[in-house]
Structure formats: structure tokens, C-alpha cells
Amino acid sequence: MNALEKIQRQIQWNRLIAVVEEQAQTMIRTAFSTTVREAGDLSAGIFDLEGRMLAQAVTGTPGHVNSMMESVGHFLAKFPAASMKPGDHYITNDPWLGTGHLHDLTVVTPAFRNGAIVGLFANTAHIIDIGGLGMGPEGRSVFEEGLYIPIVKCFDQGAPNETFFDFIRVGSRTPVELEGDIYSLCACNDAGAKRLVEMMDEYKMDSLDGLATFIFDSSLAATQEAIAALPRGTYQAEIRSDGYEAPVTLRAAMTLHEDRIVVDYAGTSGLSTRGINVPPSYCRAYSCFGIKCVVAPDIPNNWASLKPFEMMIPEGCILNAPRPYPVSVRHVIGQLIPDLMMGCLSHAVPDRVNAEGSSALWNPPLRGGSQVSGQAAETEDFEIITFNSGGTGARPTKDGLDGIAFPSGVRTMPVEATENVAPVIFWRKELRPDSAGAGQTRGGFGQIMEIGAKGDAEFAVNAIFDRVANAPKGRLGGGEGANGWVGLDDANGTVLRTKGFQVVPKGRHLLLKLPGGGGMGDPRQRDPKLVARDVADGLVSAAEAKRLYGWGG
């Protein structure tokens, strides 16, 4: 391939990324669920006819993107590409064939040019309700957690599968949003397919094979080159999670080879009886992301750039849940994995990793009306999830980010958007002073949130919180971030459980104090001007500034 051909291939590659980003933005514009429309809890990508991901949208979460990368192969195993027709759309929410729990819908759509199939588009979106017990950890098997959709056609040559939609509508507390989201997912794949055909027409491409070879060869070579520059060895780390019945320990031993990285999770805690278990695809998804952030952050994410990362996940551990174990809130454990990967890499490249952060989202599922209070209900029935985050860990040269989701990358949902679709009121949403771990670079600050139902009516929260008993740790002498806290706004400061369905009584509000990120380096080495700025902003009290940083005012 000469220089001009390489330039053209690179332009085509960039066009593919633009195509799938338009695919994702179409979903955001047309979605019914606030989780997609406001938080961007989704993924979108294009695949070759062997089910290998060529490119992903910039918008999206690693848990969705990297586990969706595996899911397309499962679709092809049931519906081979040769059997697909224009206008077909296929769907599943199988946690072991999709992205880890029933609340994620994955849709795969073929793209045709001149009557021949040329590629596949896939997307995933988190929907508000899929029936069952709802979003929460209380289920004792996946069958209690909601409507289980195998890989089926939801559209057959452009015609909706009415039987499928009948089941969908009667199986959810939010049928309009659910049906609307499925149409949105199909529409966004159609938008991607249209742009792909326009691109192929422009470049007179009969297939994606040549471009796929260029993408995969370039990505694999670049990733292996980045791995080769790392110091060889095996590096270990562990993280503690609050768990459900008992605390959970995640252990990893990462071996850096010349051309690949192998992670062994031996020693990790066993399976839970509740829905905090993690299907293996979701474990691999966040493992790859945590490694890639450090080792090869500038290399586009695709099948080949992830191929050198291998996971050994023992049977019977919480990161390798078999069917039918409950997995509804697999993110609570799964989103700790990038911090664990950075813990291993901190021994090899300490100047390239972050301190630990709040990690798992604090996204309280709220429910009210007759399904909580029966005939005494003072509000209409509602089911809503709002996405929020604590502080991220400090970076080697910069402070952590305040109230920002890492590793998921989802956006914080505006309170107005949630209040517009459900009878809830956010009485407080503010940064949490003195929550950031001290360090030469400090962690990000958590948040304080106070939530009630309209009229101070009774409502319920299906708690799915972590980092309450186990605060985010600092690195290189940095301090821990503040522990999270879950309770009521009463004078006694009533404490609620961090996980499980609980009722907030009439007249009371749910009070959340989100964790802060860990610090990095000796706090006494922090620039006094930065300490003074945080004190002036009311984020660090004068007493804590003096105690932690030696600040003299």
C-alpha cells in the first residue's frame, strides 16, 4: 500500500467514526428514556460480517461498547449474515449475550448496498424499566429481575413484530418509554447504515474488507507497540467493595508480556445471592477499558486494539456469574475494575495512573404511588432513575474531577429533566465540602443530594450504592476520599442500607452524600495557592486545610 492509499484509508476510518457518532446522536435525539436522552447511557458501533467491531461512537460507555463488541457474534450465531434482509432488526437483553443486565437492550441491524449486505450496525441503551423487581439488587435469580428477551427479530423487513411488542408493552411499568426506545434504537442503526452507503458510494467501495484489514492491522500493531514499551513482570492489586451480604474483595494479578497483557482474577470473592454479580463479558469490558486508559489511550477502540488484553476469570467468582444468577446491578462491582487495573499498573508505570475514585455510579432508582403506598398513595405511580457521580481520583499532574462519572463516562442528568417526568423534587444538589482526598493533586469532590416526592409523599428507593464502608484510596501518599453516606434528612440522621428496596416515609427526604476521590502524592507538597483557592470556594474548611496541608491562612 502506497502513501496515498494509506492516507485515503485513514480518511475512510475517520469517516466511519463520524458515521457511528451520528448513529449515537440519532439515538439521543429520538430516545424516550431520560437515561439515554439526558445521561447518554448507550453505545453504538459498526461491525464487519464476522462480527468484529470496526469503530465505535465517541458517545457511549465502556461497559456497553466493549461488551456489545462480543454480543454481535452471538447474533450471527443465531441469524447468519446470509439470512438477513433489508429492514431486519434483531434485539436481545440477555445479560450473557448482551451487556450484562436486563435493563440494557442491544439491537443489531444489517446494512445493504446494491442488494448485498456490507456490514452490521449495533447499539445498546439502558432503559428505565423492564418489569420484574425493577432496577435493584433484591432479585435471587435473573428471572426475578425483569422481562428476559432472547435474540429475536423485532422488525422483519421493515414490519414490526407485533407479538414481540405486545409482550414488551405489558411487561413494563413504563411501556411507552420502552416501546419508543426500541424504535429509537432501530432508527439510529438505520441512520448509520444510510451514512455508510453514502460513504461507500463516494469512495466506490464494494465491501468493507480492505478498510477492515487496514483498521485491524494498524490498531493491533500500535497496541502491541505500546505494550512492548512497558516493564515486564506480574503486578498485583486488590479493592474492597461494600458488597451486599458481606464485603467483596476483587483481586487481580496482571502480567505484562511483550505483545499482550493477561489479567488473572484468582482470589476474588465468590458469587453473591443477590444482583451485584457480574457476567464475564462485563468484567472483560471494564478490564480492557481500565488497561487501555493507561497503556494505549490514543488508539481507537475496536476488535483488534482490544485483542491483546486477556482475562482469566475463575468459575465461581463474582466476576464470572453464570446463568441464572442475579446481575441487575452488575455495575456496582464492575465499575470498580478500572481502579483495580490501575492499581496493578501503578507498580509498573506509577506516573500514568489515577488515584481511586468513587467509581460506581450513584444512580438511585426511585419509585412511588400505589406500588409503594397502596391505596394511601398521594402521587401517581412513577419509576425513574437519575444518574449522579462522586469525585474521580486525583491525576498525576491534575486534581480529580468533581461529580464526574469515571469509568462509565455517562453525563449527570439535570434535575429539571427528572422533575419534568416524575413527581420528585431535588431539594439540594451541591458539591460536598471536605470530601476530596488530600494530596499534591487532590481528588475530586463528591456531592450532597436531597430528594423528596412532591407534597413530601411517601416513596421508595432501591439503593445500589457503594464506597460507603470502603472509601476510595489515594496513591503515592495521597489521602482517601470521603466515604459515601445514605440516609434520611431527619434530626437523628437515620442511616439507610446501601443496597436494597427501602421506603422513605411521608414528610422525609432521601439524603445522599457521594464519595470523594482519593488524592495523589504528599499533601504538604500541594501549591498553597491551590489550597487557598479551595478554602475561598468553600470546598475545603480552614481547619482541614491546616490539618491536611499545613495551610496557614
Side-chain angles (χ1 to χ4, degrees):
M1 184 180 296
N2 60 39
L4 183 59
E5 289 173 325
K6 288 182 179 179
I7 292 172
Q8 187 176 57
R9 288 300 192 200
Q10 186 64 54
I11 292 171
Q12 293 168 352
W13 189 355
N14 290 341
R15 280 283 296 275
L16 272 190
I17 295 174
V19 165
V20 291
E21 181 60 21
E22 181 170 345
Q23 177 194 1
Q25 293 301 323
T26 299
M27 190 196 308
I28 290 172
R29 290 195 300 271
T30 59
F32 279 55
S33 291
T34 52
T35 51
V36 180
R37 190 175 67 246
E38 303 294 341
D41 194 13
L42 59 94
S43 67
I46 183 172
F47 295 72
D48 70 6
L49 298 182
E50 295 181 34
R52 299 176 299 181
M53 187 169 71
L54 293 165
Q56 67 153 94
V58 176
T59 302
T61 78
H64 284 159
V65 169
N66 291 348
S67 52
M68 179 186 74
M69 188 188 72
E70 296 186 25
S71 69
V72 174
H74 298 300
F75 279 81
L76 289 174
K78 184 170 183 180
F79 295 98
S83 69
M84 295 180 175
K85 302 257 188 323
D88 286 350
H89 296 275
Y90 306 85
I91 190 169
T92 190
N93 69 344
D94 186 319
W96 289 270
L97 304 181
T99 59
H101 68 173
L102 297 176
H103 280 77
D104 287 344
L105 303 180
T106 298
V107 171
V108 172
T109 304
F112 285 82
R113 179 177 178 269
N114 296 331
I117 184 171
V118 291
L120 299 163
F121 282 86
N123 60 57
T124 298
H126 180 104
I127 50 90
I128 290 176
D129 184 74
I130 196 69
L133 292 174
M135 181 78 173
E138 301 284 30
R140 291 185 178 272
S141 81
V142 72
F143 303 117
E144 297 180 29
E145 294 181 328
L147 184 64
Y148 199 129
I149 307 169
I151 296 175
V152 296
K153 279 186 184 180
C154 54
F155 283 84
D156 186 353
Q157 299 183 67
N161 180 342
E162 295 296 350
T163 302
F164 166 78
F165 281 105
D166 283 345
F167 275 104
I168 285 293
R169 282 187 287 266
V170 300
S172 172
R173 299 174 183 86
T174 57
V176 174
E177 289 85 349
L178 179 55
E179 183 175 8
D181 282 335
I182 293 171
Y183 273 83
S184 170
L185 297 177
C186 297
C188 93
N189 279 356
D190 284 341
K194 178 182 177 182
R195 292 302 187 198
L196 174 65
V197 171
E198 290 175 359
M199 169 190 152
M200 294 179 72
D201 286 344
E202 180 180 340
Y203 288 98
K204 297 178 173 57
M205 300 168 65
D206 292 324
S207 80
L208 294 174
D209 292 348
L211 179 56
T213 298
F214 175 77
I215 290 173
F216 293 151
D217 288 350
S218 301
S219 300
L220 180 59
T223 303
Q224 290 179 331
E225 182 180 352
I227 293 171
L230 301 172
R232 305 284 179 273
T234 298
Y235 307 98
Q236 300 181 347
E238 74 172 47
I239 280 182
R240 295 267 286 180
S241 160
D242 301 353
Y244 190 105
E245 315 97 314
V248 170
T249 298
L250 306 180
R251 287 198 178 96
M254 180 185 295
T255 302
L256 306 182
H257 298 277
E258 182 179 356
D259 59 352
R260 71 191 194 283
I261 294 176
V262 179
V263 180
D264 186 350
Y265 284 102
T268 291
S269 294
L271 292 160
S272 170
T273 62
R274 300 302 181 101
I276 62 173
N277 299 294
V278 182
S281 61
Y282 196 78
C283 173
R284 286 189 287 267
Y286 270 113
S287 300
C288 289
F289 178 71
I291 296 169
K292 202 170 185 302
C293 282
V294 177
V295 175
D298 298 326
I299 299 170
N301 203 58
N302 55 57
W303 171 81
S305 64
L306 298 180
K307 186 179 179 182
F309 307 139
E310 303 172 11
M311 311 302 145
M312 300 170 62
I313 318 170
E315 291 185 7
C317 87
I318 199 167
L319 299 178
N320 192 359
R323 192 184 278 109
Y325 269 77
V327 292
S328 179
V329 293
R330 84 288 191 243
H331 70 280
V332 172
I333 299 290
Q335 290 180 6
L336 296 174
I337 292 175
D339 276 346
L340 183 62
M341 297 298 93
M342 289 192 186
C344 294
L345 288 165
S346 68
H347 302 296
V349 284
D351 58 334
R352 292 163 62 177
V353 302
N354 297 345
E356 293 180 10
S358 58
S359 302
L361 289 165
W362 279 51
N363 48 340
L366 307 175
R367 182 182 298 176
S370 61
Q371 53 189 339
V372 174
S373 307
Q375 291 181 319
E378 297 179 353
T379 69
E380 67 267 28
D381 288 357
F382 70 88
E383 185 92 12
I384 193 70
I385 303 173
T386 177
F387 285 19
N388 310 277
S389 305
T392 72
R395 296 166 285 180
T397 60
K398 296 181 180 180
D399 293 340
L401 301 170
D402 309 328
I404 294 292
F406 178 85
S408 70
V410 300
R411 296 189 299 268
T412 294
M413 291 170 59
V415 298
E416 295 85 356
T418 305
E419 291 174 341
N420 187 53
V421 296
V424 296
I425 297 174
F426 288 76
W427 293 96
R428 295 172 68 190
K429 194 174 193 299
E430 60 194 42
L431 292 180
R432 180 185 177 189
D434 290 329
S435 60
Q440 185 172 3
T441 55
R442 60 157 173 75
F445 292 95
Q447 301 183 59
I448 298 174
M449 299 178 59
E450 184 178 337
I451 310 170
K454 285 187 177 179
D456 278 344
E458 180 181 69
F459 69 104
V461 58
N462 213 348
I464 47 176
F465 310 120
D466 212 276
R467 295 293 206 186
V468 173
N470 296 275
K473 290 182 171 55
R475 299 199 198 279
L476 302 176
E480 291 186 348
N483 299 70
W485 188 88
V486 184
L488 301 180
D489 68 329
D490 55 17
N492 296 324
T494 299
V495 176
L496 298 181
R497 291 181 288 121
T498 58
K499 295 181 178 70
F501 188 88
Q502 295 153 98
V503 173
V504 177
K506 179 178 172 61
R508 295 268 63 91
H509 300 157
L510 174 66
L511 187 60
L512 304 176
K513 299 179 182 179
L514 280 62
M520 178 84 73
D522 183 358
R524 300 284 171 150
Q525 298 300 313
R526 183 167 176 79
D527 185 342
K529 293 180 181 177
L530 297 178
V531 179
R533 179 199 64 187
D534 286 342
V535 173
D537 288 343
L539 295 173
V540 177
S541 65
E544 285 295 278
K546 182 177 180 180
R547 182 178 71 87
L548 296 171
Y549 296 102
W551 184 69

